[in-house]
Amino acid sequence: MVSAIWPYHNSLILLYSVTLEEYVMRPILLLTADNSPIFTATVVIAGITIVIAVLVLLIFIFQIFGKIAPKIEALSLKTEEKINRIKEDLKAKRAARKKAKQKEDQQSEVVEEAVKLTPIPSAVVPPPSPVIEQGISGEVVAAITAAVVATEGQGAVIRSIKKKNVDGRNPWSHAATIDNTRPF
C-alpha cells in the first residue's frame, strides 16, 4: 500500500510503501525514453519487424481470398443459371396454360353463340309475381324491383318482399358490431 508521494529524488518520483516500508518507484516512470543508440536500434528493428510481419500476414490473407473468390463466383453463376432455367420453365408453363385457357374460352364462346342462335320456344313462361307483404306500397315494390334489375340484370327474379323486424336497433349498427367483433 502506497501512503504518500515524496518530492523529486534523482529526477524520479518515489513513493513510500507502508507494507514494504521502503521507497518504491512508480512503474509508469520505467517507460521513459532512453537516448542510447542500442535502445533506438531496438525500437527501430522491432517496428520494422512488426510492419513486415503484418504485411506478410495481409499478403497471405489476400492470397487465400484470391483462391476462394473465383470458386464462390463460379458457384453463384451456376446457381443463377439454375434459377434462370427454372424461371424459363415457369414462363413456358404459364404460356401453355394461357394458350389452353384461350382455346377453352374460344370454345365456350362458340357454344354461347350456338345457344344464342338456337330458337327459343314460343311458350315462354313468365316469372312468378313476387309475394308482397301487407302494407308495402306498389311504389316501394317498383323501386326495389328497379334496383335489383339495375344491379343484377334482366334475369333477376324477385320471389318475395317483406318488412324487416328491427326490434329498436339499427340493422347497420348491428352489422358493424358483428363485423368489428369477429375473431381474426
Side-chain angles (χ1 to χ4, degrees), residues 13 21 45 53 69 86 97 102 114 151 181:
I13 297 178
E21 296 182 5
I45 292 172
I86 291 172
R97 278 192 229 134
Q102 287 176 349
T151 57
T181 58

Side-chain angles (χ1 to χ4, degrees), residues 134-146:
Q134 283 286 359
I136 299 176
S137 68
E139 295 170 349
V140 172
V141 172
I144 291 172
T145 305

Side-chain angles (χ1 to χ4, degrees), residues 31-32 40 59 64 66 71 73 97 101 106 121 136 184:
L31 298 176
T32 58
T40 305
I59 289 171
I64 291 174
K71 292 178 183 177
E73 187 175 343
R97 278 192 229 134
K101 187 175 181 181
Q106 288 174 352
I136 299 176
F184 294 105

Side-chain angles (χ1 to χ4, degrees), residues 22-66:
E22 61 181 18
Y23 288 100
V24 179
M25 189 169 36
R26 297 180 85 184
I28 193 71
L29 297 175
L30 295 174
L31 298 176
T32 58
D34 190 3
N35 292 335
S36 70
I38 296 174
F39 181 75
T40 305
T42 305
V43 170
V44 169
I45 292 172
I48 291 172
T49 306
I50 290 171
V51 169
I52 290 174
V54 170
L55 286 174
V56 168
L57 180 67
L58 286 173
I59 289 171
F60 180 69
I61 289 171
F62 281 112
Q63 283 180 346
I64 291 174
F65 181 73

Side-chain angles (χ1 to χ4, degrees), residues 59-174:
I59 289 171
F60 180 69
I61 289 171
F62 281 112
Q63 283 180 346
I64 291 174
F65 181 73
K67 291 179 182 177
I68 293 175
K71 292 178 183 177
I72 293 173
E73 187 175 343
L75 182 64
S76 67
L77 287 176
K78 287 180 184 177
T79 306
E80 188 175 324
E81 289 173 0
K82 286 180 183 178
I83 290 172
N84 287 337
R85 273 190 257 128
I86 291 172
K87 285 181 181 179
E88 289 174 4
D89 290 344
L90 287 175
K91 284 181 184 179
K93 287 179 182 178
R94 286 183 190 143
R97 278 192 229 134
K98 189 174 181 180
K99 211 174 215 184
K101 187 175 181 181
Q102 287 176 349
K103 282 184 180 180
E104 186 178 302
D105 290 343
Q106 288 174 352
Q107 289 175 354
S108 65
E109 287 176 6
V110 169
V111 169
E112 287 175 5
E113 287 179 22
V115 169
K116 286 180 183 177
L117 296 177
T118 57
I120 299 175
S122 61
V124 176
V125 179
S129 61
V131 178
I132 301 171
E133 191 176 285
Q134 283 286 359
I136 299 176
S137 68
E139 295 170 349
V140 172
V141 172
I144 291 172
T145 305
V148 169
V149 168
T151 57
E152 300 296 325
Q154 288 292 332
V157 176
I158 299 174
R159 295 212 164 93
S160 68
I161 299 175
K162 298 179 186 177
K163 283 187 177 180
K164 171 83 170 145
N165 187 5
V166 177
D167 292 335
R169 183 167 181 174
N170 183 355
W172 291 105
S173 171
H174 181 66

